[in-house]
Amino acid sequence: MIIADLRTELRTASLPRPWGEDVPYNHVIVTHVTLKDGRTGTGFSWTPQIGAHAVKALLDHDLREALIGLPARPEVVWDRLWRHLREAGPGGITTIALAGIDLALWDLRCGGEALPDVLGRRRDEVPVYGSGVNLHYPLDELVAQAGRWVAAGYRGVKIKVGRPDLAEDVARVAAVREVIGPDRLLMIDANQRWDLHRARRALAALREFDLHWIEEPLPADDVAAHVELRRSTDVPVAVGENVYTAYGFRDLLAAGACDVVQPNVVRVGGITPFLRIVELARTYDVPVYPHLLGEVSGQLALALPLPVMAEDVEDASFARLGLLAEPYPVEISGGVLRAGGHAGLGLRWS
């Protein structure tokens, strides 16, 4: 169980529905960790916009040498490499790079079992909500997208807000609520575009649409402003996709700044820190809704202790981007996600 080598491959996939003029692609760094006995585990790092080459360089030039010779135990390796990388910064490129190694080690740990079973499967399926990076969509395209999610049987939908004119946000949310009806959940995501004053005004104007949560209303590291916003609204506050360490989640939870946390399994550094964040959130009775990356996040959701939904960003799964070969590790149908009978993470990179 000693690590003998690390290899990486950078892949770039065009998004069928670009996330804006500046985000036409997703970048994946596929990682292969080989043991002395010849077994190999496969993981990945990911970035939708910038930093892919920096992450690969960090893996190839700073982590490979430190990794070789260590025991193939994810928790031990993660803590050792985290200390090794601290000079490069406490999160961001460093944790994204660590995720590639950690996911590969968990792939090895699973052996012949699927990831949800190794973690402790609590459910066989999880509800899915439709999600889109759609702030730049014209209203008719946004409404059509919401209609596709309804036709797919999704239990909820999430759309972007944060247009310069609040009246536009109100009109767009109203149109989507009309399409999905009163019984489906409706979430909105501001992607850190507001300050506290704008967030209060926006949520007051949108309150009539029965919002299930407001996601990233404020800069992700402004804990105090999140606390103040939560005190002034009855709309649940969701945070976490741009929080990179367990310490960041600890500070948000301890301050009472959020109702939902949404760690991204790659941005936090892999499954090892993700599980630590889950247990931390559980002590505050705050649910975890994994962010994006459904082929792995969906599997994690099957093992989480509190109620959860899986996020499906339209046309952005690794399968839809042509990065995976069948059979895929998860399947979405009838509005729910299920995991297949694969071994490990089940990622077969094409």
Side-chain angles (χ1 to χ4, degrees):
M1 293 288 289
I2 300 300
I3 297 169
D5 198 12
L6 168 67
R7 295 183 297 107
T8 68
E9 310 164 38
L10 174 59
R11 304 187 183 189
T12 296
S14 298
L15 290 163
R17 300 177 193 275
W19 293 354
E21 291 183 3
D22 57 339
V23 191
Y25 310 107
N26 270 197
H27 309 284
V28 176
I29 301 94
V30 180
T31 54
H32 306 279
V33 173
T34 302
L35 304 185
K36 282 191 173 181
D37 64 9
R39 285 179 292 160
T40 298
T42 302
F44 67 94
S45 296
W46 162 90
T47 175
Q49 190 169 6
I50 61 173
H53 291 277
V55 170
K56 188 177 189 304
L58 200 61
L59 285 160
D60 292 341
H61 298 292
D62 295 283
L63 285 172
R64 181 178 177 274
E65 184 177 351
L67 179 66
I68 292 172
L70 294 181
R73 301 186 182 278
E75 299 87 351
V76 173
V77 170
W78 201 93
D79 289 342
R80 180 79 64 89
L81 296 182
W82 172 247
R83 289 194 297 271
H84 179 68
L85 288 181
R86 286 304 296 273
E87 186 178 346
I93 287 175
T94 52
T95 48
I96 291 169
L98 282 173
I101 293 171
D102 188 75
L103 288 164
L105 290 175
W106 274 95
D107 191 42
L108 282 164
R109 171 175 282 186
C110 290
E113 293 187 87
L115 177 64
D117 297 313
V118 172
L119 296 177
R121 187 189 295 262
R122 295 173 183 267
R123 52 186 70 84
D124 292 323
E125 61 185 36
V126 63
V128 174
Y129 68 91
S131 179
V133 184
N134 49 30
L135 189 63
H136 59 298
Y137 284 20
L139 181 58
D140 59 341
E141 290 186 21
L142 178 65
V143 167
Q145 185 179 55
R148 290 192 292 273
W149 290 328
V150 171
Y154 288 176
R155 313 295 175 84
V157 307
K158 184 174 76 181
I159 67 168
K160 303 295 185 181
V161 293
R163 290 243 176 165
D165 184 349
L166 176 57
E168 288 187 69
D169 279 338
V170 172
R172 289 162 70 86
V173 172
V176 170
R177 172 53 83 188
E178 182 175 356
V179 169
I180 70 173
D183 298 327
R184 282 184 173 81
L185 303 177
L186 175 57
M187 292 81 76
I188 58 173
D189 182 355
N191 280 129
Q192 307 181 77
R193 286 183 174 86
W194 293 333
D195 55 29
L196 182 57
H197 174 67
R198 289 183 65 201
R200 283 173 167 158
R201 289 190 64 246
L203 292 179
L206 296 168
R207 188 175 184 276
E208 65 180 286
F209 301 111
D210 188 23
L211 302 176
H212 192 60
W213 72 54
I214 169 61
E215 185 172 323
E216 285 203 315
L218 305 165
D221 53 358
D222 192 344
V223 176
H226 281 90
V227 172
E228 289 303 314
L229 179 63
R230 191 167 176 242
R231 286 174 179 164
S232 62
T233 182
D234 58 359
V235 177
V237 175
V239 297
E241 73 173 84
N242 285 296
V243 178
Y244 291 87
T245 69
Y247 306 116
F249 284 93
R250 176 202 63 191
D251 293 347
L252 288 160
L253 290 161
C258 56
D259 300 278
V260 173
V261 293
Q262 300 170 300
N264 179 296
V265 67
V266 166
R267 286 176 175 162
V268 300
I271 293 170
T272 295
F274 180 91
L275 295 176
R276 294 171 180 174
I277 292 163
V278 168
E279 288 307 309
L280 178 63
R282 188 179 185 183
T283 65
Y284 288 89
D285 202 31
V286 170
V288 173
Y289 286 71
H291 173 256
L292 223 152
L293 303 176
E295 278 92 356
V296 173
S297 293
Q299 297 187 65
L300 294 170
L302 296 172
L304 294 179
L306 299 177
V308 63
M309 291 186 292
E311 179 180 21
D312 182 33
V313 179
E314 188 175 38
D315 291 335
S317 69
F318 290 156
R320 293 300 299 272
L321 293 179
L323 293 169
L324 296 180
E326 296 187 82
Y328 306 133
V330 300
E331 176 188 82
I332 297 174
S333 63
V336 298
L337 177 146
R338 302 176 182 87
H342 56 269
L345 304 185
L347 299 172
R348 300 168 177 85
W349 300 97
S350 60

